[in-house]
């Protein structure tokens, strides 16, 4: 329970200073000489210095904020596909999914004062050049048509039409021409209830790719011919029929059709009952398909001669066929190359395959996110569907099995497609995991978290904190799943606490869960340890924090605050199981309250000895071990304290922030050091873990509709209320966290390195001299043939991968040539047999070289000496008993094959294996069989490296033969030959007679 507070300890800011702090004030440290300048003049000078020092902080985006509106485009051979992200076009490898190159145009777009692009250079259309499959044509909102050579990653031509481009198409029938849907200067003015909309009016143009004579050599050229085809509303599709005879555009509730042979006649309008959302042409027949906002798909059969008869002011209706399954708007359509099937996708995250001649359909459900684009790939006869999803990821679906084959994804954050975006005041989960050097970020689905590695720019895993059915909305009201609001990690990185909640509606009651996860170091994943239902009742949790510097597991505590007014601490409890194991889980340890105030935040001192809770206009400091109230800091200048954090590694100072106020307290002197008041709203301060400094972020609203929002970052030190440095960022932030100085980015330990999530759901890293490792393929790089990973076929399994290697880059022409250059030795010779069978050289050329490499050559005198001993041993017939010689302790000699034996083996190999001997051919001459029992260099006989023990006639006579011809003395006989009789004298005599018998 809280203890009584002494009045002398519960000091206010007015007691700490003689006068209220209406303006920023400096309180110099003890022993510092006062300057001779007037204090008011000195403030003006410092303010001017801080304003002059304001500069843009270095920052870099780690991901794309949302999915592109441009469908992916495959190269002609199907090895790569293009995806537009902002002003750039990324080239992905189909086999690996990696980005191999990025086409980025030169900075020609207009930028605002802060240096950020006004989204005027975003790529909105991309197609392959129909006359050159190695060129890519793109159109963007800045009015530029760019032609790229993607093999060399070079920009070939730039044409300016001075109008934002929304769609672009071309056909091989029209050489050096493209058709574009460009915005007109006027906006749509007719609307219901006299409410004007910002929808653009569009003009469809035919633009020549040949520049004018005056701009032929300029970097930005002007088209020599621009012909207007017609005017439409904001287009949702623009395409040319496969024959090149028809040009079709969809916009609003109409389909606009024009004959390409007579562009001056303009468009013929066909009315649709619903707003059209997408367009696709049949690959061989003269009709097209559209999708609308209600989920209907229509096949239009209006491309005939009746279009030539036009009635002014009359809009036509066409003969159509309707296909309906989708409950919401159809976002993309695509025909298969043979024209037998139509693919459709939308918000339901289900790919629908329609069989056109029967009307039957098949489904690929739960692809992970709403489908935005569909593209088809036909590579080596196997068809695949590439789905561009709303979370900026790609999924390949195999046509033969209708199952997901692989996926390509990075950070996926933007929830605007399937769910409502949370307000800017809603907490966004963001944390740093030190053990794996990863970032824990929110996912596109509100109930999940994702783990991202900044060093490799890879999305490692996705954690579903609150399991939910990812289904689309009912009617027009979106489903509200559970939303992860907070995530915090312990210092060791072994524990993580998450808070997820769902608001009540007419069908469900409110839910609040706190879940504590344990890191599995072996599996590298989070495992749910404890789930706590309603830790603060039905009220929201306002603060969660682990105790730092916990020496033992018993010292580790978790503190939470809620809108119910309670301050709770949680601890680990260990219980022995029946299997003599130990089970750990979290339980409530204590509950506190501070008057009737509602706590808003909780934090720990750097050493974990103090717990600070923000309650109303006060900050209560507790001893966590005894739950005793140590100190209360009252701040009348700040009506509602939003956060209170300890500054520096010692924790002597505490920075308290409100909506527009920042106060710094000295806990040792129990006094207010200074007070800073901002003219705009403030974010929570971020404290440096080592140095005595912190940053405060001011949200600067845009002064005009054209100007983008920005953030001013103020760096403070405890000794002065004047910012030591001022930086700016060209965006607003939802959540910010400090990154450790080591393990993530190569930065200065004395500076700041921060990671934040912007209001547009981009993940950015910013700070002092931030150096982010460059992602592979992030720059423009040429594409070579070797960059593509070939698909494995049956021929690779039969002949080996080396059979399909490029011989131009091979280090040697053939294995036979290598044998003539260098002898085969040891393992080098064995590597020759790793090649396919048809590439292995003839055995006659390999055998001698390989065997010489494996076997050592004996000197000539040793061979002669061995032959003499061998002959003497063969001629002697021992009739008497030969006592066994004593075993010597020298090193055992390995068996050495002489030249004569090797020549005999080669002759047998040539006669038997290479050349089949005729039936009339006499048998080969007898080859002396060496069974290892002879005594080279006076070494006692042994078999297979095992020396026989001494034997006597008595022991020999008692020994009995064993099965398979094995005898106790270690001499092995073939099973077909009987063992010698017991009357034989000794093993040596038996061995000698056996040798003479075998030699004849």
């Amino acid at each position: 329970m809280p203890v009584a507070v002494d009045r002398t300890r519960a000091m206010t800011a007015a007691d700490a200073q003689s006068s209220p702090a209406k303006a920023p004030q400096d309180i110099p440290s003890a022993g510092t000489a006062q300057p001779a300048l007037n204090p008011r003049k000195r403030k003006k000078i410092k303010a001017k210095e801080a304003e002059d020092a304001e500069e843009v902080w270095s920052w870099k985006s780690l991901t794309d904020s949302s999915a592109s509106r441009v469908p992916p485009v495959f190269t002609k051979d199907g090895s790569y596909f293009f995806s537009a992200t902002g002003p750039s076009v990324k080239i992905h490898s189909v086999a690996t999914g990696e980005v191999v190159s990025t086409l980025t145009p030169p900075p020609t777009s207009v930028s605002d004062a802060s240096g950020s692009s006004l989204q005027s250079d975003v790529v909105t259309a991309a197609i392959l050049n129909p006359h050159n499959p190695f060129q890519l044509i793109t159109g963007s909102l800045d009015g530029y048509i760019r032609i790229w050579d993607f093999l060399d990653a070079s920009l070939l031509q730039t044409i300016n039409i001075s109008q934002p481009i929304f769609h672009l198409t071309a056909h091989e029938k029209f050489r050096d021409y493209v058709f574009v849907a460009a915005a007109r200067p006027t906006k749509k003015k007719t609307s219901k209830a006299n409410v004007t909309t910002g929808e653009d009016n569009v003009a469809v143009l035919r633009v020549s790719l040949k520049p004018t004579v005056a701009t032929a050599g300029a970097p930005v050229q002007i088209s020599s011919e621009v012909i207007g085809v017609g005017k439409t509303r904001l287009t949702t599709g623009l395409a040319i029929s496969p024959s090149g005879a028809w040009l079709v555009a969809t916009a609003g509730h109409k389909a606009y059709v024009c004959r390409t042979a007579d562009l001056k006649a303009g468009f013929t309008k066909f009315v649709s009952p619903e707003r059209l959302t997408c367009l696709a042409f049949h690959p061989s027949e003269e009709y097209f398909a559209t999708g609308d906002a209600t989920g209907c798909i229509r096949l239009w059969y209006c491309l005939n001669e009746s279009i030539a008869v036009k009635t002014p002011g009359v809009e036509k209706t066409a003969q159509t066929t309707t296909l309906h399954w989708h409950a919401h708007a159809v976002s993309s359509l695509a025909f298969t190359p043979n024209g037998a099937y139509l693919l459709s996708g939308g918000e339901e995250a289900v790919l629908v395959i329609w069989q056109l001649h029967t009307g039957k359909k098949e489904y690929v459900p739960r692809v992970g996110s709403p489908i935005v684009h569909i593209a088809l790939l036909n590579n080596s006869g196997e068809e695949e569907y590439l789905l561009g999803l709303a979370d900026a990821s790609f999924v390949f679906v195999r046509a033969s099995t209708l199952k997901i084959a692989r996926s390509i994804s990075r950070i996926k954050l933007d929830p605007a497609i399937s769910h409502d975006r949370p307000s800017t005041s809603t907490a966004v989960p963001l944390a740093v995991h030190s053990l794996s050097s990863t970032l824990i970020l929110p996912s596109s689905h509100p109930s999940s978290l994702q783990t991202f590695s900044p060093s490799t720019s890879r999305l490692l895993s996705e954690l579903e904190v609150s399991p939910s059915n990812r289904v689309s909305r009912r009617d027009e009201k979106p489903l509200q799943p559970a939303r992860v609001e907070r995530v915090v990690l312990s210092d060791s990185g072994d524990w993580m606490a998450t808070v997820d909640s769902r608001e009540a509606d007419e069908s469900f009651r409110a839910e609040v869960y706190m879940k504590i996860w344990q890191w599995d170091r072996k599996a590298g994943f989070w495992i749910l340890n404890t789930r706590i239902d309603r830790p603060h009742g039905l009220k929201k949790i306002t603060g969660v924090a682990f105790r730092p510097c916990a020496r033992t597991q018993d010292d580790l505590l978790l503190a939470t605050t809620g809108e119910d007014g309670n301050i709770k601490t949680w601890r680990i409890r260990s219980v022995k199981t029946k299997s003599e194991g130990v089970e750990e889980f979290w339980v409530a340890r204590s509950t506190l309250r501070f008057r009737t105030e509602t706590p808003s935040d909780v934090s720990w001192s750097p050493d974990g000895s103090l717990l600070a809770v923000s309650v109303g206009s006060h900050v209560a400091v507790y001893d966590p071990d005894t739950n005793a109230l140590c100190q209360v800091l009252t701040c009348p200048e700040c009506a509602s304290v939003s956060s209170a954090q300890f500054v520096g590694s010692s924790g002597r100072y505490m920075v308290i922030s409100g909506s527009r106020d920042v106060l710094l307290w000295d806990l040792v002197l129990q006094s207010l050091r200074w007070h800073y008041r901002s003219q705009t709203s403030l974010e929570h301060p971020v404290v440096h873990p080592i140095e005595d400094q912190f940053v405060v972020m001011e949200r600067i609203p845009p002064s005009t509709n054209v100007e983008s929002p920005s953030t001013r970052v103020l760096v403070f030190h405890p000794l002065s209320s004047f910012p030591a440095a001022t930086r700016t960022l060209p965006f607003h932030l939802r959540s910010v966290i400090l990154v450790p100085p080591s393990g993530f980015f190569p930065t200065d330990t004395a500076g700041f390195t921060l990671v934040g999530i912007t209001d547009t759901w981009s993940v950015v890293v910013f700070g002092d001299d931030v150096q982010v490792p460059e992602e592979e393929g992030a720059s423009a790089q040429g594409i070579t043939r070797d960059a593509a990973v070939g698909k494995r076929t049956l021929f690779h399994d039969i002949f080996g991968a080396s059979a399909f290697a490029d011989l131009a880059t091979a280090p040697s022409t053939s294995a036979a040539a290598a044998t003539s250059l260098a002898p085969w030795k040891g393992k080098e010779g064995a590597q020759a047999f790793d090649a396919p069978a048809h590439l292995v050289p003839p055995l006659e050329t390999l055998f001698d070289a390989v065997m010489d490499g494996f076997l050592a050559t004996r000197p000539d005198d040793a061979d002669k000496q061995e032959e003499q001993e061998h002959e003497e041993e063969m001629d002697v017939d021992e009739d008497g008993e030969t006592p066994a010689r004593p075993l010597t302790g020298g090193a055992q000699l390995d068996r050495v094959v002489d030249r004569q034996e090797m020549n005999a083996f080669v002759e047998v190999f040539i006669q038997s294996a290479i050349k089949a001997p005729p039936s009339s051919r006499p048998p080969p001459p007898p080859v002396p069989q060496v069974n290892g029992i002879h005594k080279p260099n006076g070494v006692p006989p042994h078999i297979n490296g095992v020396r026989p023990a001494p034997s006597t006639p008595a022991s020999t006579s008692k020994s009995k033969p064993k099965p398979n011809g094995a005898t106790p003395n270690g001499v092995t006989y073939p099973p077909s030959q009987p063992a010698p009789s017991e009357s034989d004298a000794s093993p040596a005599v038996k061995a000698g007679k056996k040798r003479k018998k075998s030699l004849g």
Side-chain angles (χ1 to χ4, degrees):
M1 296 297 293
V3 297
V5 181
D6 190 358
R7 292 180 178 270
T8 59
R9 304 180 71 178
M11 295 183 302
T12 64
D15 298 333
Q17 287 187 328
S18 58
S19 60
K22 297 181 181 180
Q25 299 179 7
D26 257 347
I27 300 180
S29 59
T32 305
Q34 297 291 339
L37 293 175
N38 188 4
R40 184 174 297 178
K41 189 175 182 180
R42 178 164 49 88
K43 293 176 186 177
K44 292 182 180 180
I45 294 175
K46 288 192 175 183
K48 189 175 185 306
E49 291 177 354
E51 185 176 355
D52 294 339
E54 184 174 327
E55 60 182 10
V56 178
W57 224 2
S58 60
W59 65 278
K60 184 178 180 181
S61 178
L62 298 179
T63 183
D64 306 316
S65 59
S66 59
S68 173
R69 57 175 292 181
V70 182
V73 180
F74 285 98
T75 58
K76 192 171 183 180
D77 60 352
S79 300
Y80 305 94
F81 70 92
F82 305 92
S83 67
T85 55
S88 305
V89 177
K90 294 185 177 180
I91 306 178
H92 298 259
S93 171
V94 172
T96 63
E98 299 293 334
V99 178
V100 297
S101 181
T102 301
L103 307 178
T104 304
T108 56
S109 61
V110 182
S111 300
D112 61 1
S114 62
S116 64
S117 177
L118 298 179
Q119 303 296 323
S120 62
D121 53 356
V122 174
V123 175
T124 55
I127 60 171
L128 285 180
N129 190 341
H131 298 94
N132 189 343
F134 302 108
Q135 292 181 359
L136 182 72
I137 305 176
T138 62
S140 54
L141 291 180
D142 54 6
Y144 288 104
I145 300 174
R146 295 180 174 91
I147 302 177
W148 300 85
D149 183 347
F150 59 84
L151 291 181
D152 296 334
S154 60
L155 180 61
L156 302 178
Q157 188 179 8
T158 302
I159 297 177
N160 185 14
I161 65 172
S162 301
Q163 299 177 36
I165 299 173
F166 297 117
H167 290 87
L168 185 147
T169 186
H171 193 270
E172 59 183 3
K173 185 178 179 180
F174 305 96
R175 190 175 185 88
D176 296 328
Y177 285 98
V178 294
F179 292 86
V180 299
R184 288 187 289 161
T186 59
K187 298 284 185 179
K188 180 181 178 182
K189 296 181 179 179
T190 57
S191 60
K192 295 182 180 180
N194 294 326
V195 178
T196 59
T197 62
E199 185 176 340
D200 292 285
N201 289 326
V202 174
V204 178
L205 311 172
R206 188 186 74 170
V207 181
S208 173
L209 298 180
K210 295 181 179 179
T212 60
V213 178
T215 62
V220 178
Q221 302 170 352
I222 298 177
S223 175
S224 59
E225 182 184 7
V226 178
I227 298 178
V229 179
K231 300 177 182 179
T232 68
R233 296 298 184 189
L234 182 63
T235 55
T236 57
L238 181 68
I240 301 178
S241 63
S243 63
W246 304 96
L247 174 67
V248 177
T250 54
H253 290 70
K254 300 180 182 66
Y256 299 82
V257 180
C258 177
R259 191 187 297 271
T260 57
D262 187 12
L263 296 178
K264 294 182 180 180
F267 284 118
T268 300
K269 303 176 184 178
F270 292 89
V271 181
S272 168
E274 301 294 339
R275 182 176 59 87
L276 301 179
T277 57
C278 54
L279 168 68
F281 251 108
H282 192 275
S284 58
E285 300 181 16
E286 296 292 339
Y287 71 88
F288 59 93
T290 61
D292 62 24
T294 61
C296 290
I297 301 172
R298 286 181 173 83
L299 307 179
W300 299 70
Y301 305 98
C302 58
L303 304 181
N304 48 42
E305 299 299 330
S306 62
I307 294 181
V309 181
K310 298 179 63 175
T311 304
V314 177
E315 296 175 343
K316 296 185 177 182
T317 57
Q319 179 184 359
T320 60
T321 300
T322 302
L323 307 173
H324 193 187
W325 178 86
H326 297 275
H328 307 290
V330 182
S331 59
S332 183
L333 293 171
F335 285 92
T336 56
N338 57 8
Y341 295 90
L342 175 66
L343 311 179
S344 63
E347 185 181 325
E348 301 84 5
V350 177
L351 176 65
V352 185
I353 300 98
W354 303 85
Q355 192 175 24
L356 295 178
H357 69 283
T358 62
K360 296 181 180 180
K361 49 188 175 296
E362 294 182 278
Y363 310 97
V364 181
R366 295 181 294 276
V367 297
S369 186
I371 299 173
V372 179
H373 303 296
I374 302 175
L376 281 82
L377 168 65
N378 193 347
N379 190 6
S380 301
E382 184 176 359
E383 195 172 87
E384 287 185 328
Y385 311 139
L386 176 60
L387 309 181
L389 305 183
D391 57 7
S393 60
F394 296 97
V395 170
F396 283 90
V397 177
R398 190 164 295 161
S400 58
T401 61
L402 293 183
K403 292 184 179 180
I404 296 177
R406 58 193 182 279
S407 61
I408 304 170
S409 62
R410 288 193 64 208
I411 302 179
K412 38 190 179 182
L413 290 182
D414 192 3
I417 300 297
S418 55
H419 305 283
D420 291 338
R421 284 184 173 181
S423 62
T424 55
S425 59
T426 305
V428 176
L430 179 63
V432 174
H433 190 212
S434 57
L435 286 182
S436 59
S437 298
T438 56
L439 298 176
I440 298 178
L441 307 168
S443 181
S444 58
H445 197 276
S447 62
S448 298
L449 296 174
Q450 53 188 343
T451 304
F452 177 75
S453 173
S455 59
T456 59
S457 298
R458 293 180 181 272
L459 183 64
L460 301 183
S461 61
E462 187 170 0
L463 177 64
E464 192 173 27
V465 176
S466 178
S468 58
N469 293 326
R470 304 194 178 189
V471 296
S472 60
R473 54 194 169 93
R474 297 174 298 179
D475 300 329
E476 295 302 321
K477 184 178 181 180
L479 295 175
Q480 293 298 332
R483 189 181 301 276
V484 182
E485 297 180 349
R486 298 179 184 273
V487 55
V488 293
L489 279 80
S490 62
D491 279 357
S492 62
D494 293 325
W495 297 97
M496 178 178 68
T498 60
V499 176
D500 61 278
S501 63
R502 183 172 63 178
E503 297 180 356
D505 55 16
E506 65 275 5
S507 302
F508 302 96
R509 63 179 183 179
E511 296 178 351
V512 180
Y513 299 102
M514 184 174 71
K515 300 174 182 178
I516 304 177
W517 309 74
Q518 189 173 12
W519 177 254
D520 189 345
R521 296 182 180 239
K522 293 183 178 179
F525 202 73
W526 293 102
I527 299 176
L528 182 61
N529 179 272
T530 306
R531 191 188 79 174
I532 302 171
D533 299 354
R534 301 181 180 179
H536 288 266
L538 293 177
K539 302 295 183 179
K540 287 188 176 182
I541 297 177
T542 58
V544 185
F546 276 101
R547 184 179 189 176
C549 300
R551 298 181 179 178
T552 62
Q553 196 160 305
D554 297 335
D555 295 337
L556 183 61
L557 298 178
L558 176 66
T560 61
T561 57
E563 292 181 353
D564 60 348
N566 291 329
I567 306 165
K568 294 186 177 183
T569 58
W570 311 80
R571 66 177 180 88
I572 299 177
R573 182 179 178 184
S574 302
V575 176
K576 292 185 178 180
T577 60
K578 295 181 180 180
S579 59
E580 300 299 329
V582 178
E583 183 180 0
E584 297 177 347
F585 54 92
W586 288 75
V587 295
R589 175 181 174 270
S590 62
T591 302
L592 308 172
R593 291 186 68 91
F594 183 81
R595 302 174 186 173
T596 58
E597 303 285 348
T598 300
S600 58
D601 193 23
V602 62
S603 63
W604 294 84
S605 61
D607 58 355
S609 60
L610 295 176
L611 178 66
V613 182
S614 305
V615 280
S617 60
H618 312 278
V619 177
V621 182
Y622 291 91
D623 183 354
D625 295 329
T626 61
N627 293 338
L629 184 61
C630 302
Q631 192 174 0
V632 177
L633 309 178
T634 305
C635 309
E637 295 84 2
C638 186
S640 177
V641 176
S642 58
S643 70
Q645 301 183 45
F646 294 85
V647 179
S649 58
S650 62
R652 173 179 177 176
Y653 303 99
M654 178 179 290
V655 55
I656 302 172
S657 65
S659 59
R660 293 194 175 187
D661 300 276
V662 178
L663 299 92
L664 187 78
W665 279 79
D666 190 335
L667 300 181
V668 176
L669 301 179
Q670 299 183 2
S671 62
L672 179 67
R673 296 284 296 182
W674 50 260
H675 170 218
Y676 174 86
R677 184 169 182 82
S678 174
Q679 301 299 324
T680 61
S681 60
L682 299 175
E683 301 289 341
H684 288 186
V686 180
V687 179
H688 198 279
I690 302 174
E691 303 293 333
D692 289 343
Q693 58 181 348
F694 59 93
V695 296
V696 177
M697 302 182 185
E698 296 179 335
R699 296 174 66 94
I700 303 176
S703 58
T704 61
N705 294 332
V706 180
E707 185 180 359
S708 61
S710 59
T711 301
R712 181 183 293 117
V713 183
L714 307 177
V715 182
F716 287 97
H717 291 282
L719 300 181
S720 175
S721 63
F722 290 101
T726 304
R727 304 287 185 264
T728 58
L729 296 170
F731 42 75
H732 282 173
L733 295 165
R734 290 177 175 266
S735 181
V736 181
I737 193 171
L738 185 74
V739 177
S742 60
F744 283 84
F745 309 108
T747 57
D748 185 11
T749 57
F752 283 94
T753 302
L754 307 173
V755 172
I757 299 176
T758 66
D759 281 351
T760 57
W761 296 94
S762 293
V763 180
V764 294
V765 53
F766 54 95
D768 299 321
D769 191 21
V770 173
Q771 299 178 6
V772 179
E774 176 144 359
E775 182 184 0
E776 184 178 357
S779 59
Q781 300 176 6
I783 301 177
T784 60
R785 183 180 175 185
D786 296 337
V789 179
K791 187 176 180 181
R792 188 175 182 88
T793 62
L794 182 62
F795 292 101
H796 289 80
D797 298 333
I798 297 176
F799 300 106
S802 60
F804 300 90
D806 191 1
L807 297 180
T809 59
S812 59
T813 56
S814 64
T819 56
S820 62
L821 297 177
W824 300 88
K825 295 183 179 180
K827 296 181 179 180
E828 297 178 0
Q831 292 177 356
F833 299 96
D834 294 337
H838 65 282
L839 295 180
V840 176
L843 294 180
E844 293 90 341
T845 61
L846 284 178
F847 186 82
D848 292 334
V850 171
M851 297 307 296
D852 289 342
F854 282 117
L855 303 176
T857 304
R858 286 178 59 84
D860 297 337
D861 53 352
D863 294 339
K864 294 180 180 179
Q865 182 179 0
E866 183 180 358
E867 292 176 0
Q868 294 178 359
E869 294 180 357
H870 187 70
E871 293 175 358
E872 293 176 358
E873 186 180 2
M874 292 300 108
D875 295 336
V876 176
D877 188 6
E878 300 179 290
D879 295 333
E881 297 181 2
T882 305
R885 298 182 181 179
L887 298 177
T888 59
Q892 180 176 332
L893 297 180
D894 295 332
R895 179 176 179 272
V896 179
V897 181
D898 58 350
R899 178 66 61 181
Q900 181 181 1
E901 182 180 357
M902 182 56 61
N903 294 336
F905 180 75
V906 172
E907 183 65 20
V908 173
F909 181 83
I910 294 175
Q911 299 297 334
S912 303
I914 300 179
K915 299 178 181 179
S919 57
S920 61
R921 192 166 191 172
V927 181
Q929 299 181 4
V930 181
N931 56 10
I933 308 178
H934 64 279
K935 295 177 283 186
N937 297 332
V939 180
H942 59 278
I943 299 177
N944 296 333
V946 180
R947 300 178 184 271
S951 59
T952 60
S955 61
T956 304
S957 62
K958 293 181 180 180
S959 62
K960 295 182 179 180
K962 292 187 177 181
N964 298 330
T967 56
N969 58 5
V971 181
T972 304
Y973 298 92
S976 59
Q977 297 181 2
S981 61
E982 298 181 1
S983 60
D984 291 339
S986 65
V989 175
K990 291 182 284 185
K993 292 182 178 181
K994 183 67 179 178
R995 286 194 297 271
K996 294 185 66 176
K997 183 177 180 181
S998 62
L999 293 175

